[in-house]
Amino acid sequence: MEKFVDNLSPMDLMRSEKMKLVQLIIPVESAHRAVSYLGELGLLQFRDLNAEKSPFQRTFVNQVKRCGEMSRKLRFFKDQIIKAGILSSIHPVVEPDVELEELEIQLAEHEHELIEMNSNSEKLRQTYNELLEFKIVLIKAGSFLVSSDNHTVAEERELSENVHSNHSYDEASSLIEQEMGTADQPGLRFISGIICKSKALRFERMLFRATRGNMLFNQAPAGEEIMDPLSAVKAEKTVFVVFFSGEQARKKILKICEAFGANCYPVPEDFSKQRQITREVSSRLSELEVTLDAGIRHQNKALTSIGYHLTQWMSMVRREKAVYDTLNMLNFDVTKKCLVGEGWCPVFAKAKIQDALQRATVDSNSQVGIIFHVMDAVESPPTYFRTNHFTNAYQEIVDAYGVARYQEANPAVYTVITFPFLFAVMFGDWGHGICLLLGALVLIARESRLSTQACVQTYHV
Amino acid sequence: MYGFEAMTFNIHGGYLEAIVRGHRAGLLTPADYNNLCQCETLDDIKMHLSATEYGPYLQNEPSPLHTTTIVEKCTLKLVDEYKHMLCQATEPLSTFLEYITYGHMIDNVVLIVTGTLHERDVQELLEKCHPLGMFDSIATLAVAQNMRELYRLVLVDTPLAPYFSECITSEDLDDMNIEIMRNTLYKAYLEDFYKFCQKLGGATAEIMSDLLAFEADRRAVNITINSIGTELTRDDRRKLYSNFGLLYPYGHEELAVCEDIDQVRGTMEKYPPYQSIFSKLSYGESQMLDKAFYEEEVKRLCLAFEQQFHYGVFFAYMRLREQEIRNLMWISECVAQNQKSRVHDSVVFIF
């Protein structure tokens, strides 16, 4: 079989490239560099010689863990940048590569700084949101109370009428007597606050049940989306005022407010006092705004400076993790202090690989060269097709169904013609065809610009 | 018609059955458990789990890990899968899936009521609740002072409302009453679930009644053993046993009069399926009973996957995943407290 295959004329894309099993013996000091240069070439597929070992029995497990930790920090930075709404720059700063250890230290510093800034601004933000809510409650609840002040007496009568008509006589009358007896202040008292609009209906129902209907619930929408102090989520809110009488009812209502996450703010009944407090709150709000803005600007500066380097760092960490994963596949020979690896490579790439290994030896100042020799293989080699930019797309479509075996005829050659043909037959009309043609021309014209953006994969076709 | 589900099940349930079987194939394997039991620190556990299906949920946790974080994130994965299935399900299946979570709702209700009794903060209690059993007005449970209020204020809106008719008393809530309330609710829930499955008919009815019967019997035994030596009267105890299962009604008669564990064992050994469980325990020992029951349950749950075109696979998958999370919690605790020798005490392998 081997002889037959070797005597075939070269058939380019029609059949797989001829592959050879090679063995590499790499001294430890040049191992990392060798693997990273080989990775850049992309022409050698390593076999996993440590397949039976679990992930944390492998040699380079600590480095892999460190890379994992670094990529977690980078994801955290990315989240923070997106949350702060900073647009990442289209042309990131390309600096010379930083060493992995230095990068680790830098990342730890940045993370620490960011977490500190976040916690500082959080307290300020919470106070700011609470004050904002207080102001809105004052404004809206004020309008309820102005009308209610004049009608307190009338509402009391109305309330007792309501109670009599809604419930059975015995329960209601005894309740009213009881509450009249224990009320600290005569007449209606109220609690004012603000609650998420989505919960308002359930809240009202719960209050109704808990006080057996002896309450009056007024609500008005807050008008704009406010950030909740505790959960830091923007939501539509409603201002509410609950009128009730009696100490028992007050305790229950407060508990229910707490359970639903409604924030209660005291609103004075007197109109002039309301205005005074509103003015105080507004002035405090503007002070806090200034402080918060300064904090946000500082944070944005830090995030922007991180953002410049972010893509570069991410690709670096990914590359390092891939290198260590590959190094984990090699067999570590402790006595001779070298790593033994096996892999498949195409015949035409042999010179390039040897060149890369040579460079690695020189660059790492190693005394011993890397040994690279061909071995005989029992099993069938993996398939490798040399494709260019255009044929790569068709090759990928065919590979999705199944990769051709070694030296099997490659169906992708035929799909270059048949695939567009069948696609067109499916569509079958001028209009669609013209639209697709225009779309494709746009994509091709913008190819260079689109390929530098992050979503390269989708535009490959 | 039983036997012909293959003709019509896939119209509505085919996609979800495929999804659930896919999830089932993603449960941790014996090789995974082997590696997890050999871990030295919680970081090793995290690294190993990141190679399994739990990877995306654990990868963003910063380094000093706690066991509660691991368990929380794994439960989050279960909740996500459940919610995906629930929103894709059509009628009988969506009710079935909701039934699976009522048990957790009951547990959450009892947790909050007990916590309020002991003067804990409501937000703290809400964090401890199981995410599958959350419902909207759960936080207002803290306001209620006796069972009638509990029902009238909060539970009347929830699916648990019909289970309350048997246990409303005007007494104030205290520890004993809360436990009785929990068991009464659970009994009503199991019976309701059983009736619902019988109504569905076919393979679902057969497989689910077997699984629910085992559950009912297990609870009966646990109630008996836990109430030995307390002031729960025999009649009260009898009222907490469900009305179906292998032990109904004669086994319940005998269990109701048991006064210690050996008598319980004597009663249970008359029933062949449970004889094998009790034969694993030596006399006078009850700690291993829980593990023995879990093993038997896991065996039966795995058997549910052998048949196709019924809803029992969903129930079985949820239970198996919960068992796996329990295993992970036990392993993490053993590793965190440096007691790896005790790891195999409580880990039930799911194969």
Side-chain angles (χ1 to χ4, degrees), chain B residues 221-286:
Chain B
V221 171
N222 279 336
I223 289 175
T224 315
I225 293 184
N226 288 340
S227 61
I228 292 175
T230 66
E231 33 190 58
L232 194 64
T233 66
R234 288 180 188 178
D235 283 334
D236 279 341
R237 203 197 278 179
R238 179 101 58 78
K239 271 195 278 186
L240 293 175
Y241 297 150
S242 306
N243 292 342
F244 63 98
L246 201 57
L247 293 175
Y248 170 79
Y250 306 113
H252 288 165
E253 303 274 330
E254 294 188 30
L255 275 182
V257 298
C258 282
E259 290 301 330
D260 67 41
I261 298 191
D262 290 325
Q263 285 184 4
V264 172
R265 172 200 289 273
T267 319
M268 299 301 286
E269 280 183 344
K270 297 197 195 118
Y271 295 87
Y274 304 128
Q275 189 178 20
S276 54
I277 299 179
F278 279 83
S279 64
K280 287 191 210 159
L281 309 171
S282 53
Y283 273 95
E285 187 188 312
S286 75

Side-chain angles (χ1 to χ4, degrees), chain A residues 418-439:
Chain A
T418 61
F419 185 72
F421 176 70
L422 283 173
F423 204 72
V425 164
M426 273 198 295
F427 269 82
D429 66 277
W430 269 104
H432 264 126
I434 292 181
C435 294
L436 274 178
L437 184 63
L438 289 176

Side-chain angles (χ1 to χ4, degrees), chain A residues 103-173:
Chain A
L103 182 61
E104 213 175 338
I105 300 176
Q106 267 187 16
L107 286 182
E109 264 176 38
H110 282 298
E111 190 188 18
H112 187 72
E113 207 184 311
L114 265 182
I115 292 183
E116 223 180 281
M117 273 196 277
N118 275 347
S119 60
N120 285 345
S121 68
E122 212 175 285
K123 269 199 77 70
L124 275 180
R125 210 182 286 267
Q126 207 175 335
T127 327
Y128 178 77
N129 285 331
E130 275 175 12
L131 280 179
L132 188 61
E133 283 189 348
F134 192 12
K135 181 165 148 209
I136 295 186
V137 168
L138 278 172
I139 297 175
K140 302 282 168 151
S143 54
F144 294 148
L145 292 172
V146 163
S147 52
S148 84
D149 240 352
N150 307 335
H151 300 290
T152 328
V153 177
E155 271 180 354
E156 234 184 313
R157 246 186 284 133
E158 210 182 282
L159 202 59
S160 42
E161 278 175 32
N162 266 341
V163 168
H164 277 287
S165 62
N166 284 346
H167 297 276
S168 68
Y169 249 82
D170 305 336
E171 218 184 80
S173 49

Side-chain angles (χ1 to χ4, degrees), chain B residues 5-17:
Chain B
E5 287 107 6
M7 296 205 299
T8 52
F9 184 86
N10 275 343
I11 303 172
H12 294 295
Y15 170 65
L16 284 174
E17 180 169 0

